[in-house]
Amino acid sequence: TYLGGALLHGYYDEARQLLFVTNVTLSEVDVLSGTDLSLVSRISVPLPVGIDQMPDNRTLVVGTQTQTLYTVDEVTLAVTAHPGPNFSSVVGSTTQYQMPVAMANGKVLITAHDLFVQPSQGNRLIVWNPSTESFTEPQIAGWCPTGCASATIAHSADHKWAFSGPGMLYNSDSD
């Protein structure tokens, strides 16, 4: 199936047999059939980048090239915006919440980047607590040290552990 745009990341929901992929240039999350990859739906989400499923097994969290996270109900396809604060201290910059990783405790770790700041200076790790709608920046010694051009993040299959680090491995226990 040709979708157009630029597909960046995806999440396959095995129970629903649906593949959700972020399409940044078309500002949408494309929903594909897991059986034949036909297009099921297009969900409008501004500049989506990363995607993961929350512990409830029915809500997706979508990171974007904006200062907002989005959640998508996998059943109704309803979208909810969750604007975050600007952690950047650079005038004219804004913090983009790009790569979310849903943890077993219900919180979401996000690799974020300050727009208009060099990657070696502007990468951040943010924690979003959906139950309180709070965004915090934990102080983790050595995370994404100076010279870090990009920061990736992933979780274990049980969502209890998150792993992150460019060239170095840091881990976080959701408990």
Side-chain angles (χ1 to χ4, degrees):
T1 303
Y2 177 74
L3 300 173
L7 306 179
L8 293 181
H9 296 278
Y11 180 82
Y12 181 66
D13 186 324
E14 192 170 345
R16 290 178 181 81
Q17 294 189 3
L18 294 173
L19 174 62
F20 297 86
V21 292
T22 58
N23 193 329
V24 67
T25 55
L26 296 181
S27 283
E28 63 191 25
V29 173
D30 294 326
V31 184
L32 305 175
S33 164
T35 56
D36 63 5
L37 294 180
S38 62
L39 182 64
V40 174
S41 186
R42 295 179 188 263
I43 306 166
S44 180
V45 175
L47 302 172
V49 178
I51 189 168
D52 199 12
Q53 188 182 58
M54 298 293 285
D56 66 3
N57 295 319
R58 72 169 277 152
T59 305
L60 297 172
V61 58
V62 181
T64 68
Q65 290 179 343
T66 72
Q67 196 173 319
T68 303
L69 277 179
Y70 290 85
T71 51
V72 176
D73 183 302
E74 291 184 56
V75 177
T76 65
L77 303 183
V79 177
T80 305
H82 305 275
N86 186 12
F87 286 94
S88 180
S89 61
V90 176
V91 175
S93 183
T94 201
T95 304
Q96 297 177 337
Y97 297 93
Q98 296 181 352
M99 295 297 300
V101 170
M103 301 301 292
N105 63 3
K107 294 181 181 175
V108 178
L109 297 179
I110 309 141
T111 56
H113 180 73
D114 292 345
L115 187 64
F116 306 127
V117 178
Q118 292 200 9
S120 62
Q121 309 291 313
N123 287 326
R124 300 176 179 280
L125 183 65
I126 306 295
V127 177
W128 175 51
N129 184 341
S131 63
T132 61
E133 283 294 330
S134 63
F135 291 80
T136 57
E137 183 176 22
Q139 299 304 310
I140 300 173
W143 187 85
C144 199
T146 301
C148 162
S150 65
T152 59
I153 191 166
H155 58 66
S156 58
D158 62 2
H159 292 247
K160 184 173 168 69
W161 294 91
F163 304 92
S164 177
M168 300 174 86
L169 182 65
Y170 298 92
N171 61 56
S172 174
D173 181 346
S174 70
D175 294 334

